[in-house]
Amino acid sequence: MQILTLTVRRAADPAAPVLGELPLTADQRTRSRYRYDLGADLAVLLRLPRGTILAHGDLLEAPTGERVRVVAQAEPTLWVTASSAIALVTAAYHLGNRHVPLEIQPDGLRLAPDPVLSAMVRGLGLTVREEVAPFQPVGGAYGDRAVPQGDAPSHDHTHSHGHSHSHGHSHSHDHGHSHSHSHPHP
């Protein structure tokens, strides 16, 4: 069996030649170190930078240039719809407060099956339907879905520069409103 080690994630390119497709669930697309069998005597070994989150269509490349395309595999999900945009946004707000991986579409929200969250959303007056479908949660606002390494300009940034950022004064400020973040979690 041939084992292909994939070390670089590149942006989706539907026209790129590939050796095969790698169907992965949303959870599997968060793994940066793993082995998958593609059949036909081919296995792939992921050796991606820690924290890499793959998306449907991403290309994974071996040092030798061979590529495999990531495909979002259909999986059990909940599809949430509402009679108004404000009801859908309200549900997204409450699910976000619970740090739930969430796919946001113009006409609905998709999340992993969870009876407690399903009951909560139904209690808000929304419709919840179980579906088997590809699930592509939104990346976090702080870079959970990074630019593919092979396609990004070189940019290294660290906060350890070997010197102090202390300037002898405070950077605190007051906007006239609170920045506190507290809410109950179930």
Side-chain angles (χ1 to χ4, degrees):
M1 173 172 282
Q2 176 189 4
I3 299 176
L4 187 62
T5 301
L6 303 170
T7 58
V8 174
R9 176 173 57 100
R10 297 204 181 274
D13 177 359
V18 294
L19 291 179
E21 293 183 338
L22 180 59
L24 300 173
T25 64
D27 182 59
Q28 290 171 327
R29 291 192 308 273
T30 66
R31 297 177 183 167
S32 55
R33 304 276 194 268
Y34 209 78
R35 177 188 161 141
Y36 297 97
D37 289 327
L38 294 182
D41 291 330
L42 177 62
V44 295
L45 189 61
L46 298 186
R47 289 292 178 254
L48 301 168
R50 298 233 184 255
T52 298
I53 298 176
L54 301 171
H56 177 79
D58 280 351
L59 298 173
L60 300 178
E61 188 174 276
T64 53
E66 294 100 335
R67 291 181 176 176
V68 172
R69 188 178 328 279
V70 173
V71 176
Q73 180 176 318
E75 59 186 294
T77 65
L78 298 178
W79 177 244
V80 178
T81 56
S83 59
S84 71
I86 194 69
L88 199 59
V89 169
T90 300
Y93 170 81
H94 286 290
L95 291 166
N97 272 342
R98 285 153 182 82
H99 305 281
V100 173
L102 190 64
E103 179 177 335
I104 302 172
Q105 296 294 328
D107 57 342
L109 307 171
R110 187 172 309 282
L111 63 147
D114 182 302
V116 172
L117 296 176
S118 178
M120 178 195 76
V121 170
R122 282 189 172 99
L124 293 171
L126 285 80
T127 302
V128 179
R129 184 174 70 228
E130 293 182 12
E131 287 187 357
V132 175
F135 179 32
Q136 185 65 52
V138 173
Y142 297 103
D144 288 352
R145 177 77 177 109
V147 174
Q149 28 339 346
D151 299 318
S154 176
H155 177 78
D156 292 326
H157 185 84
T158 176
H159 288 102
S160 176
H161 303 295
H163 62 273
S164 170
H165 283 244
S166 174
H167 305 291
H169 62 273
S170 170
H171 285 240
S172 64
H173 53 278
D174 181 6
H175 301 295
H177 62 270
S178 171
H179 284 265
S180 67
H181 180 78
S182 70
H183 54 268
H185 285 277

